[in-house]
Amino acid sequence: QVQLAESGGGLVQAGGSLRLSCAVSGRTPNSYILAWFRQPPGNERTFVAHISWNGGRRSYADSVKGRFIISRDNTKNTLYLQMNSLIPEDTAVYYCAATARFGAVSDSNDYRFWGQGTQVTVSS
């Protein structure tokens, strides 16, 4: 079992930056593939970024590529999402997710463990 707890959300103006954190706890937390997903108001949850257990592989949704950076610090059992050049369309609840499923990347069905989410609101 793995527990995930996001933090760092808030209100920011367009063009600004935020850094989200996700504390990962439980059994062997550093062995999991981790990812960020987001769910805008009235829309489905979508993939944002993923990172392999050792950080060697990362991928991003096209909508955030070049603006967001996913990283992890396994010494602190923490996942991060640095969000730069934010736009109003980035407004959403952001969730971190974990999976032990080999090859998992962007399909939310592959992720077994989820945090409670943190709200990010970007004003224009």
Side-chain angles (χ1 to χ4, degrees):
Q1 283 282 11
V2 173
Q3 294 78 43
L4 306 168
E6 303 94 338
S7 61
L11 174 65
V12 62
Q13 286 189 333
S17 298
L18 276 177
R19 188 175 81 156
L20 304 183
S21 300
C22 176
V24 185
S25 60
R27 185 177 179 184
T28 60
N30 297 331
S31 65
Y32 286 78
I33 295 169
L34 301 176
W36 289 98
F37 289 79
R38 66 186 182 184
Q39 185 166 15
N43 287 281
E44 295 182 349
R45 191 176 301 184
T46 60
F47 169 75
V48 175
H50 107 289
I51 188 167
S52 60
W53 71 273
N54 64 353
R57 288 189 294 174
R58 313 179 194 199
S59 68
Y60 299 90
D62 288 343
S63 59
V64 306
K65 202 171 292 184
R67 300 188 297 122
F68 290 10
I69 300 172
I70 189 171
S71 62
R72 66 191 293 169
D73 186 339
N74 285 345
T75 65
K76 298 181 179 179
N77 294 339
T78 304
L79 172 71
Y80 302 100
L81 185 68
Q82 177 66 43
M83 304 187 294
N84 302 318
S85 302
L86 285 161
I87 59 178
E89 290 75 16
D90 294 321
T91 295
V93 177
Y94 283 71
Y95 298 90
C96 61
T99 183
R101 182 166 182 169
F102 179 78
V105 177
S106 60
D107 187 344
S108 62
N109 293 317
D110 288 335
Y111 289 83
R112 179 179 177 187
F113 304 102
W114 293 83
Q116 80 288 351
T118 185
Q119 176 70 46
V120 172
T121 303
V122 184
S123 63
S124 57

